[in-house]
Amino acid sequence: MLNPQRIVAKRVSKLLVLSLMVPGSVFAAEVSPAVPQNVAAVAPNNVQVVGSSTVLPKMPVGVRKAPLTTGSVDWSSLNNQHLVSTKMLCGNTTSNVCFTTQIEQAYAQNKFYPLWQNAALRNEFELQLKALADTNMLSGIRQRLTEMHRLEKEGNQQGYDLLATDTYYVYRAFLNYIAHHRDVLFLSQPVNMSQVMVQYGGGEDAYPMTMAKLKTYRPTYIPFESTMEMIEKYQQLAPHHLTSASFKSAVYRPGDVLPNGHEVVQVLYHLGDLSQADHDTLSVQSTVANSGALLASLKLFQQRHGLTPDGIVGPATIKQLVVPYSDIARLLALNTLRVSALNRHNDKRAHIWVNIPNYKLELYDNGKKVFESKVIVGRDTRPTNLFSSAITTMVVNPYWNVPITIKQHDVIPKVKISRDYLKEHNMQILNSWSDRTVVPPSSIDWATVNPKTFPHEFQQGPGPHNSLGNVKFLMPNDYAIFLHDTPSHGLFNRNKRDLSSGCVRVERADDLANYVIDYQERSNIAPFKTMLDTKQHKVVSLSKRIDVDFVYLTAWVDQNGHLQMRNDIYGYDSPRATPIKTKFITMKDFVKR
């Protein structure tokens, strides 16, 4: 007696070959009795169903027919393929793919039709894979993309379809993994697919592979196609020859002759800061001076890199001029991946981005930027943490509770030098944060005080010299990080503003306070200036939160199609000798959205 299940499985296996080799065909387990066996039936979607007597193409001589798995998918198109990528991506597998079970389930759910016949779907997928490959973050993904292209070029449509489906699950695994381990995006080390990561590849939402779903994997907030075109441009350019040694002096002012000036001209032209006509004119001059069109070009370059646009070629400008084109491409791809991993916001709710290397706060409401301000962020020895939260409280005329690092490294050493320091800075000593009894400074023998074991705390009262200025904005987090005003507004005139001990100082803090109050739409909250003029400490609980993301982006293409780059102030873009402390790069979300 015949086993009908075995026949179905066998027929599915054979028809899979044809379906993946002949575009538009279908994986048919059985043929409807109403259709003559020698006539191909037309399915409702006008796709031909192969009849049971259809002559299938013969397998080429020498090709192994034995499938790699026991499922109903025919794997013979990959059996003789030497896939280096699979060993790199999932070295423990005995198959030519990483996600055998998920692949079989996907084809079964798709009634054994090919999954990647749609050219637009393939193009979108390959573009996103290239973006990942260009980061050098996932070992093996570039090789996998190359192998997919080779199979397609060879006309091995079945092999391409199977490998693309496996790559889809690899891609999902990586994206889902970094969504839960976003710190890897700042460690500058390639990620290897582990058994832990493989577990992130499945999920009920994996199938079907639709264009709409693929586009949800794209980075928001940036023009993706323009970014990919920019990456391709810098990958294709021949390397330039500028290095730090190309500049003999530390500073070249307007009017000075530039050493290796023609190479500087080439770099500025390729970066889009110098026109073709000016490039051609300067290229035939015997020497190149920092004047005229070149001076204007250098100012554009400096502006795009967040530098003071004064045309002076100093260490900061030289550092950016000598960046290889290949590094620009990698940094663009890496930061595009970082954007993909950021929280996605409901455009109907206000949210704030603080981009640390850009020294800027931007507030978006209804999808539009409605406010921005310069900020001061943590210095490299006390970095501002990367995380997400939401402003829940605003404090007008705040007290400043001195953090332990500042207490130990700044306040106590200065009090030991001068007993008047506390009075001059409107500070008092509290017994502890839980027992806020005031301790007289005269009761302490300062000569014997050890800053690391001093049991009391310092608090600065409200006033014009309070370190937090007029207002602070509190949000849940584990790092004691918040936004606040500052009395030292002259610091915002500096171009390099990584000056704080971790918290973020906001230049337009008063304007932000007015916005926060207006956003609440509550008549029982007094105007900000009214509260400020009382000179009394005032805590305002917010019923409508404003989300805040502290991010780290050093390269992106802006909405006008211009490349923007910023100095890697914390060293997160390139490998470093000393490991980064992961507590600063958790990107943890402290508020459920």
Side-chain angles (χ1 to χ4, degrees):
M1 185 173 180
L2 296 175
N3 183 339
Q5 289 185 343
R6 176 59 179 159
I7 293 173
V8 169
K10 203 169 185 179
R11 185 176 300 166
V12 167
S13 178
K14 288 182 179 179
L15 291 174
L16 174 59
V17 180
L18 183 61
S19 178
L20 286 174
M21 291 178 65
V22 184
S25 63
V26 64
F27 294 74
E30 293 186 9
V31 178
S32 169
V35 181
Q37 288 188 346
N38 293 325
V39 180
V42 179
N45 58 359
N46 294 324
V47 178
Q48 287 190 332
V49 179
V50 180
S52 60
S53 61
T54 301
V55 179
L56 298 176
K58 293 182 179 180
M59 296 295 294
V61 177
V63 175
R64 271 193 310 172
K65 297 182 181 180
L68 296 181
T69 72
T70 58
S72 57
V73 172
D74 187 317
W75 298 89
S76 57
S77 59
L78 293 181
N79 282 354
N80 287 346
Q81 298 293 332
H82 180 60
L83 302 179
V84 175
S85 65
T86 302
K87 295 301 179 185
M88 297 178 69
L89 290 166
C90 45
N92 294 329
T93 184
T94 58
S95 173
N96 266 347
V97 294
C98 301
F99 289 90
T100 305
T101 302
Q102 289 84 349
I103 292 172
E104 290 178 342
Q105 290 173 345
Y107 282 111
Q109 287 177 280
N110 202 48
K111 302 186 187 303
F112 295 95
Y113 279 100
L115 294 166
W116 300 95
Q117 283 185 295
N118 184 285
L121 186 68
R122 289 198 306 273
N123 292 338
E124 173 67 25
F125 185 42
E126 291 181 7
L127 188 65
Q128 292 189 33
L129 290 179
K130 185 181 185 304
L132 175 55
D134 291 339
T135 67
N136 298 331
M137 281 290 294
L138 180 60
S139 302
I141 198 66
R142 186 179 300 279
Q143 290 80 359
R144 173 59 67 88
L145 190 55
T146 298
E147 289 164 353
M148 287 168 56
H149 288 157
R150 174 173 57 79
L151 289 171
E152 187 173 34
K153 186 176 180 181
E154 293 173 352
N156 187 346
Q157 299 302 317
Q158 178 188 18
Y160 176 91
D161 214 90
L162 289 169
L163 203 59
T165 303
D166 185 55
T167 311
Y168 168 77
Y169 285 105
V170 169
Y171 186 46
R172 273 181 55 87
F174 178 79
L175 293 182
N176 289 336
Y177 178 80
I178 63 173
H180 291 83
H181 304 83
R182 292 186 282 188
D183 58 321
V184 301
L185 297 173
F186 305 94
L187 297 172
S188 303
Q189 297 293 337
V191 176
N192 294 308
M193 285 276 287
S194 62
Q195 285 301 114
V196 174
M197 189 187 296
V198 167
Q199 296 173 11
Y200 286 91
E204 295 180 358
D205 63 332
Y207 177 85
M209 298 81 158
T210 63
M211 180 67 81
K213 183 176 295 180
L214 268 184
K215 287 197 171 182
T216 64
Y217 301 155
R218 277 188 172 206
T220 54
Y221 314 119
I222 62 170
F224 182 54
E225 282 91 352
S226 300
T227 301
M228 293 305 299
E229 290 171 4
M230 191 80 73
I231 291 171
E232 182 72 16
K233 170 186 173 180
Y234 291 115
Q235 287 176 332
Q236 297 302 321
L237 283 175
H240 66 70
H241 304 293
L242 281 184
T243 66
S244 298
S246 303
F247 299 87
K248 300 174 183 178
S249 174
V251 176
Y252 297 87
R253 300 187 181 279
D256 292 346
V257 173
L258 294 175
N260 298 285
H262 292 103
E263 190 70 21
V264 173
V265 166
Q266 283 290 100
V267 168
L268 291 173
Y269 168 67
H270 285 309
L271 293 177
D273 299 309
L274 190 67
S275 70
Q276 178 76 59
D278 290 332
H279 166 268
D280 294 344
T281 300
L282 291 166
S283 296
V284 298
Q285 295 181 358
S286 57
T287 60
V288 176
N290 184 11
S291 61
L294 186 67
L295 177 60
S297 170
L298 280 167
K299 290 180 179 179
L300 284 176
F301 173 87
Q302 290 169 327
Q303 195 170 45
R304 286 192 307 99
H305 286 75
L307 304 171
T308 302
D310 53 13
I312 299 173
V313 181
T317 299
I318 291 171
K319 181 180 178 181
Q320 297 297 336
L321 275 172
V322 302
V323 174
Y325 297 137
S326 58
D327 280 7
I328 294 175
R330 181 186 68 85
L331 291 173
L332 266 175
L334 175 61
N335 282 275
T336 298
L337 186 60
R338 287 174 179 170
V339 172
S340 298
L342 293 175
N343 292 313
R344 302 199 174 194
H345 294 272
N346 183 339
D347 284 343
K348 296 181 181 179
R349 188 167 66 226
H351 73 273
I352 289 171
W353 263 29
V354 178
N355 185 4
I356 293 168
N358 196 28
Y359 307 120
K360 184 177 284 188
L361 176 154
E362 297 176 317
L363 193 154
Y364 293 84
D365 196 359
N366 287 313
K368 296 180 180 179
K369 184 166 68 174
V370 297
F371 178 87
E372 68 175 42
S373 173
K374 292 180 180 179
V375 296
I376 293 169
V377 300
R379 61 184 74 105
D380 58 358
T381 54
R382 302 180 192 177
T384 298
N385 297 70
L386 306 182
F387 68 97
S388 297
S389 189
I391 298 174
T392 56
T393 306
M394 185 176 78
V395 182
V396 184
N397 295 317
Y399 287 94
W400 180 44
N401 297 329
V402 179
I404 187 170
T405 52
I406 297 178
K407 177 180 82 171
Q408 294 178 353
H409 298 137
D410 300 323
V411 175
I412 292 177
K414 290 175 181 177
V415 176
K416 288 167 75 73
I417 295 172
S418 172
R419 302 298 182 269
D420 294 329
Y421 179 85
L422 295 179
K423 183 177 180 180
E424 291 170 354
H425 289 80
N426 192 24
M427 284 187 182
Q428 60 184 358
I429 304 172
L430 304 181
N431 190 44
S432 67
W433 295 130
S434 57
D435 174 11
R436 302 207 170 198
T437 303
V438 176
V439 178
S442 58
S443 66
I444 299 171
D445 182 2
W446 292 100
T448 62
V449 166
N450 182 339
K452 293 186 177 180
T453 59
F454 187 70
H456 307 305
E457 305 295 346
F458 295 91
Q459 186 180 70
Q460 186 180 43
H465 303 295
N466 184 282
S467 293
L468 303 183
N470 293 330
V471 62
K472 67 178 179 179
F473 307 90
L474 303 181
M475 61 201 71
N477 66 89
D478 293 339
Y479 320 113
I481 299 290
F482 50 87
L483 305 171
H484 66 88
D485 185 24
T486 176
S488 305
H489 274 253
L491 295 176
F492 291 106
N493 295 326
R494 297 189 185 184
N495 183 260
K496 191 175 185 296
R497 297 192 297 275
D498 47 334
L499 307 169
S500 80
S501 297
C503 287
V504 174
R505 306 174 202 171
V506 182
E507 182 182 37
R508 296 178 57 197
D510 287 11
D511 293 333
L512 180 59
N514 284 319
Y515 180 90
V516 169
I517 291 173
D518 291 343
Y519 186 71
Q520 301 308 302
E521 298 180 319
R522 286 166 49 193
S523 59
N524 61 338
I525 300 179
F528 173 67
K529 189 176 185 307
T530 300
M531 289 187 281
L532 192 62
D533 289 345
T534 67
K535 302 186 186 305
Q536 298 298 310
H537 180 76
K538 175 68 174 177
V539 178
V540 181
S541 296
L542 307 181
S543 55
K544 291 177 65 177
R545 73 189 189 190
I546 298 178
D547 295 336
V548 183
D549 295 307
F550 294 87
V551 304
Y552 194 91
L553 301 174
T554 54
W556 67 94
V557 176
D558 65 23
Q559 297 299 327
N560 296 317
H562 299 142
L563 171 65
Q564 298 288 331
M565 298 192 72
R566 298 295 182 267
N567 186 34
D568 178 22
I569 58 176
Y570 294 163
Y572 292 167
D573 286 351
S574 302
R576 48 191 282 169
T578 55
I580 297 169
K581 294 181 179 179
T582 55
K583 69 178 182 179
F584 294 117
I585 52 177
T586 59
M587 289 185 72
K588 185 177 177 182
D589 191 351
F590 288 91
V591 178
K592 292 183 179 179
R593 298 180 183 274

